[in-house]
Amino acid sequence: VQNGPGEFSITFDTQNESGTYRVVFGPDLTDLAGNVMNQDGDATSGEASEDAFDSTFTLVAGPTYIAHYDFGTSLSPVEDGYTRVAGNTRYSEASGFGWISGSVYAVNRAGTNLNRDLNYTADAVFAMDVENGVYDITVTQGEYLIGHDLMGVYGEGVQLDVVSVPAFQYVVNTYSVTVTDGQLSVGIKDLGGSNPWAVINALDIAIVELTE
């Protein structure tokens, strides 16, 4: 499809395999007026076999997600593809996930299904049963009405970050966490500042590498 002078776009079937792909345009291409085109950049248009644009691109496999959690109330909307976590969602062996410590509360404000609701606490830890290995955890934090400052984020008991976010805004941060005990723990803790609560809206967990 020609988008404008000298600008084209192409579409192709979804590719599911990582690797290097080759794209070739030509030969025998003409513009909208029917003029033969110079595709290989040698200043000669319409060469029967050589006039082609040849390029390659590489596709790299994206992360393999094993869980998506949407934190909120027991009745607030849940983002498609996510699992609800309410303030009273405590860990059990049957479910394999939930809050394992701390007093946790929940509110539902306004915005998208993922961001509008949240869990908040002064100090609490969420856990999920996993295989030992290295994981990327992506944490979404913020609140529609209230700013939060000096929120500590922890993975496996180790402080990963201190996050502050103004009212009506959200931050999304990704951290690397190594699990050796069969359970991934993510903690949030208020570290002071003007607001006494730490919040979490969403948690996405992806495998980087599994270990024995």
Side-chain angles (χ1 to χ4, degrees), residues 130-135 156 177-184 211-212:
V130 298
E131 297 181 66
N132 290 341
V134 181
Y135 294 83
E156 291 295 281
V177 177
T178 299
V179 177
T180 60
D181 60 357
Q183 188 176 74
L184 170 62
T211 57
E212 296 182 358

Side-chain angles (χ1 to χ4, degrees), residues 145-174:
L145 292 175
I146 302 170
H148 293 270
D149 52 358
L150 301 182
M151 297 184 293
V153 179
Y154 297 79
E156 291 295 281
V158 177
Q159 185 171 332
L160 304 173
D161 205 353
V162 179
V163 176
S164 296
V165 56
F168 303 99
Q169 296 186 29
Y170 303 90
V171 293
V172 181
N173 293 307
T174 299

Side-chain angles (χ1 to χ4, degrees), residues 18-212:
S18 299
T20 300
Y21 292 79
R22 182 184 181 194
V23 178
V24 180
F25 299 96
D28 300 323
L29 294 181
T30 60
D31 61 20
L32 294 177
N35 302 310
V36 293
M37 302 174 66
N38 173 31
Q39 294 296 293
D40 57 5
D42 64 357
T44 303
S45 300
E47 296 169 291
S49 61
E50 300 175 11
D51 223 337
F53 173 80
D54 195 334
S55 182
T56 60
F57 63 94
T58 301
L59 295 182
V60 178
T64 300
Y65 285 97
I66 60 171
H68 301 278
Y69 294 111
D70 183 353
F71 294 79
T73 73
S74 59
L75 298 175
S76 57
V78 177
E79 181 73 9
D80 289 345
Y82 280 70
T83 299
R84 181 193 305 277
V85 178
N88 61 355
T89 302
R90 307 304 291 190
Y91 170 84
S92 70
E93 291 186 1
S95 66
F97 70 90
W99 292 104
I100 60 173
S101 70
S103 297
V104 183
Y105 313 95
V107 292
N108 179 29
R109 302 295 194 193
T112 69
N113 286 350
L114 193 65
N115 291 341
R116 63 178 294 150
D117 48 2
L118 54 96
N119 285 182
Y120 67 96
T121 181
D123 184 4
V125 177
F126 177 87
M128 173 187 172
D129 294 337
V130 298
E131 297 181 66
N132 290 341
V134 181
Y135 294 83
D136 278 346
I137 61 170
T138 299
V139 182
T140 302
Q141 296 175 281
E143 188 168 355
Y144 183 76
L145 292 175
I146 302 170
H148 293 270
D149 52 358
L150 301 182
M151 297 184 293
V153 179
Y154 297 79
E156 291 295 281
V158 177
Q159 185 171 332
L160 304 173
D161 205 353
V162 179
V163 176
S164 296
V165 56
F168 303 99
Q169 296 186 29
Y170 303 90
V171 293
V172 181
N173 293 307
T174 299
Y175 313 98
S176 178
V177 177
T178 299
V179 177
T180 60
D181 60 357
Q183 188 176 74
L184 170 62
S185 68
V186 179
I188 56 172
K189 181 179 181 179
D190 173 61
L191 299 178
S194 61
N195 186 284
W197 304 108
V199 302
I200 183 169
N201 308 72
L203 174 65
D204 302 279
I205 302 172
I207 298 172
V208 176
E209 179 183 7
L210 296 179
T211 57
E212 296 182 358

